Amino acid sequence: MSGSTVGERLPYNDYTTIDWLHDLVKDSYRFRYINSRKGLRYRLISIFEACSGWIAAAIIGTLTACVAFVVDITEATVSDWKLGFCITNPLLNREACCQHKTPLLRMRSEIADGCENFKVWTGSYWGSFAIYVAWALAFGIISSSATMLTKRSLPAIAPGQGDKGKVQDVDAPLQPPVSGKSMYMAAGSGIPEIKTILSGFVIPNFLDFKVLLVKAFGAIFAVATGMCLGKEGPFVHISTCVGYIVGMWFPKYRENEGKLRELLSAACASGLSVAFGAPIGGVLFSYEEISTYFPRKVLWRAFLCSLFAAMVLKQLNPTGTGKLVLFETNYGTSYQPVHYAVFVVLGIAGGVFGGVFCQANFKWSKWFRAYPLIKNHPVFEVSLVVLATTLLQFPNPLTREPGDIIIKNLLVDCRSEASASTWVCQNEARSPDGSVNGSYIAWLTYGTVVKLLLTIITFGCKVPSGVIIPALDAGALFGRLLGQLIPSISPGIFAMVGAAAFLAGVSRMTLSICVIMFELTGALEYVVPHMVAIMVAKWTADAFSAEGVYDLAQTILGHPFLNPDHALAIVRKHNLLVEALVPPKRTMDEITVCVPASNCVPRRLLEQKLEQLRRRGLMDAGLVLVQDLCSPDSSSAAGRGMLQGYIAEGELEFGLTQLGAIYAADAEVRLLGDAQAEGEFDLSGFVDRTPLSVCVKAPLEYAVELFGKLGLRHLCVTEEGTGRLVGVVIKKRLVSFLERLKEEK
């Protein structure tokens, strides 16, 4: 690279990063400024600042519950339009129209049995089949078309390069800013993107109010299609959007990216709280799966946010039961020690399901969605998936309903009089000779296999969608199937435990799933079986791959993410030092400024180096300042001078364009020391005089820990023994380096 006219480009140049340490100090300055002022006004401001986090958390939880209420009741009504409509009020869903009578899982012509107010479209099976498919296709097209409205391009300053890691000729004339990588902001669950944001990267527009509206609207129609997806993931995205919007009301969060991410971590908890009626599970989900930085302060605010979300949702009562528990169960029997073997089998099956699903979905996304017809026409792909889903699921009475209704019906206890008349219990009634219903067993087997196949091709479509409900459905189907072999205990218990095991295999979560399941069902007695199955499922799935569905989704979508645990697992397999991260000489020449003894450099030099950063497509890098032993005729003697400071690209650009507007083009700019004359062009206030550094011969694990646990944007590398600058590593360089190591294994 040293003799080339080509400048180096890094992957992920469309993404900018935040500096957690910088934001921490910035918040401390704000705190001291407010508390040092006298008077009643600043006293009130100080009190408000101390309470603002709690106030924001309560508002976020309340607003999230309101949005979830609208989505829940609307989705239930729209979904039932595939079957018929309520005569008394077409805006009511089937259960509300029938005065909360639990619908029976029967053929379409029998749906309205015992309910005169709900009118099916036709009594013909094939007619109902055709209408069901037509409505589902219409809903799918509506949802995906709405999602298309949120297409955005990430900012880029190098023409046409995006995050593809290409190079740019530094001698070419600088072209105007262009669009970078394109994204559909409302597509998918949003969890991979939120993990990226909370780890310190920036995705502009992803949490805007428009995205919130489209996500909620699209989720209604996407779930109503009957596709193998759920609205739980989108609820997490919606709650984070609410958190971002509310955060913009408070200066404490509006002006500090690090503090804002603390609020967003708390907001995530309310999303799962309203999705499952699981306030504690929502907090644990944010901690275990979503957040990178989760101190006790964030834990408490996440708890409050989730609490308010649950309280408000219970009062709004979208299910009509007046309870938070969605799938309340009471089996009346307990498990025996012999059943632990069955729970282990469920865990193994869940791990196999999760491992196969994650790898198959990854390969499917890389292969099928690479075709130009599919890549350029996402609505067409959604239509194909909807068509396949309806054709495969409608014939099976067990999978014909929406995902949450499937779980509800599979968890029933057939010894209860209220459930005895359901389709599931009628088919589980044994004949006089003790034999089981062969066709029912076939439907359970068919449903499990079809759920796996359809979830593989559905996850990643350009509609708001989550993978939690499909995983629970598949686990419940398999658990109910396995329960037919054990007549001594209710099959619903195995359906419940199987649902948890399959979700653990897909997501690799443990503690949060266990808590969500007993909040979801109210079955606290079965915590231990859940723990057994979940742990075995995770171990089994990890044998396929250590990455869960959201980690692989980040890879498919091309989002940067630094997971300290996964990073250390990769690095420990190689005996590497920090010197492996040092940029090539050409790059260091471009970003190094050798400051003379006068502590001033020509303005033209800084403008030239800023332009070089732009040509490489960087938006959040900077210049490193060195002194001592610099060559008299060189302004970029990389690796020779003593480290003096670092000035970020954003601050440099602001200083040259805004503050420097009144200074001559050939003015001298002070970067170090105190101003010597009034009116001097001084940028020393923007320079970080104490950048963190590490020895070039230090183990690579040092750099991984510093970036992962301190949230650094950049790390300076110094020579062993002398302390002279050797290189500067930015976060994106480390992420791309770790990905190359992972591919090499």
Side-chain angles (χ1 to χ4, degrees), residues 317-341:
N317 193 21
T319 62
T321 63
K323 300 179 180 179
L324 277 178
V325 179
L326 293 182
F327 311 128
E328 188 172 12
T329 58
N330 183 14
Y331 296 111
T333 59
S334 185
Y335 54 91
Q336 301 300 321
V338 68
H339 295 133
Y340 282 119

Side-chain angles (χ1 to χ4, degrees), residues 401-424:
E401 300 282 354
D404 54 345
I405 301 299
I406 292 175
I407 300 174
K408 182 177 181 180
N409 285 285
L410 289 170
L411 296 184
V412 297
D413 181 12
C414 291
R415 291 172 298 181
S416 168
E417 293 183 4
S419 304
S421 60
T422 63
W423 190 90
V424 170

Side-chain angles (χ1 to χ4, degrees), residues 157 610 613-614 618-622 647-653:
I157 54 177
L610 179 61
L613 291 176
R614 290 172 173 172
L618 295 174
M619 294 179 287
D620 59 349
I647 181 169
E649 183 177 354
E651 279 82 354
L652 177 62
E653 183 175 9

Side-chain angles (χ1 to χ4, degrees), residues 295-562:
R296 282 188 295 175
K297 176 173 59 177
V298 176
L299 174 67
W300 298 332
R301 287 173 183 168
F303 186 87
L304 181 69
C305 186
S306 190
L307 169 64
F308 267 80
M311 288 170 54
V312 174
L313 190 69
K314 186 177 185 299
Q315 294 304 312
L316 293 175
N317 193 21
T319 62
T321 63
K323 300 179 180 179
L324 277 178
V325 179
L326 293 182
F327 311 128
E328 188 172 12
T329 58
N330 183 14
Y331 296 111
T333 59
S334 185
Y335 54 91
Q336 301 300 321
V338 68
H339 295 133
Y340 282 119
V342 184
F343 301 142
V344 170
V345 171
L346 287 172
I348 294 173
V352 172
F353 177 91
V356 170
F357 165 76
C358 290
Q359 294 302 312
N361 177 257
F362 181 80
K363 294 178 180 178
W364 172 267
S365 300
K366 287 286 189 181
W367 170 69
F368 184 70
R369 294 186 179 118
Y371 285 105
L373 179 63
I374 301 300
K375 182 178 181 180
N376 300 325
H377 301 88
V379 178
F380 178 67
E381 180 195 3
V382 172
S383 300
L384 292 178
V385 173
V386 171
L387 185 61
T389 301
T390 52
L391 293 179
L392 290 174
Q393 289 199 152
F394 184 89
N396 186 351
L398 289 167
T399 59
R400 193 177 298 157
E401 300 282 354
D404 54 345
I405 301 299
I406 292 175
I407 300 174
K408 182 177 181 180
N409 285 285
L410 289 170
L411 296 184
V412 297
D413 181 12
C414 291
R415 291 172 298 181
S416 168
E417 293 183 4
S419 304
S421 60
T422 63
W423 190 90
V424 170
C425 292
Q426 288 179 354
N427 281 271
E428 286 187 352
R430 296 180 181 268
S431 59
D433 60 358
S435 61
V436 296
N437 188 333
S439 61
Y440 175 65
I441 298 297
W443 284 129
L444 286 170
T445 306
Y446 174 80
T448 304
V449 175
V450 166
K451 277 292 178 183
L452 172 60
L453 296 177
L454 290 178
T455 307
I456 288 172
I457 67 174
T458 302
F459 188 67
C461 286
K462 297 301 183 286
V463 292
S465 59
V467 74
I468 296 178
I469 283 293
L472 293 175
D473 286 345
L477 285 164
F478 183 80
R480 197 89 195 187
L481 173 64
L482 192 62
Q484 303 308 304
L485 305 176
I486 309 168
S488 61
I489 191 172
S490 174
I493 295 174
F494 300 113
M496 177 176 60
V497 176
F502 276 49
L503 179 55
V506 169
S507 66
R508 315 299 161 85
M509 295 184 294
T510 54
L511 179 62
S512 55
I513 293 179
C514 189
V515 174
I516 287 171
M517 288 306 297
F518 79 69
E519 287 188 292
L520 191 63
T521 61
L524 186 60
E525 182 181 356
Y526 302 99
V527 169
V528 174
H530 280 121
M531 294 175 69
V532 172
I534 288 170
M535 203 69 254
V536 173
K538 176 174 171 55
W539 287 337
T540 306
D542 284 344
F544 287 83
S545 170
E547 295 178 307
V549 62
Y550 299 123
D551 299 317
L552 290 174
Q554 284 180 309
T555 302
I556 295 171
L557 296 169
H559 298 320
F561 180 66
L562 180 61

Side-chain angles (χ1 to χ4, degrees), residues 667-686:
E668 290 286 310
V669 181
R670 175 169 294 279
L671 294 177
L672 300 174
D674 298 326
Q676 301 298 313
E678 186 176 352
E680 186 179 29
F681 192 176
D682 185 8
L683 294 184
S684 61
F686 293 105

Side-chain angles (χ1 to χ4, degrees), residues 172-184:
L174 186 64
Q175 300 184 31
V178 294
S179 297
K181 171 181 174 180
S182 295
M183 289 176 54
Y184 296 97

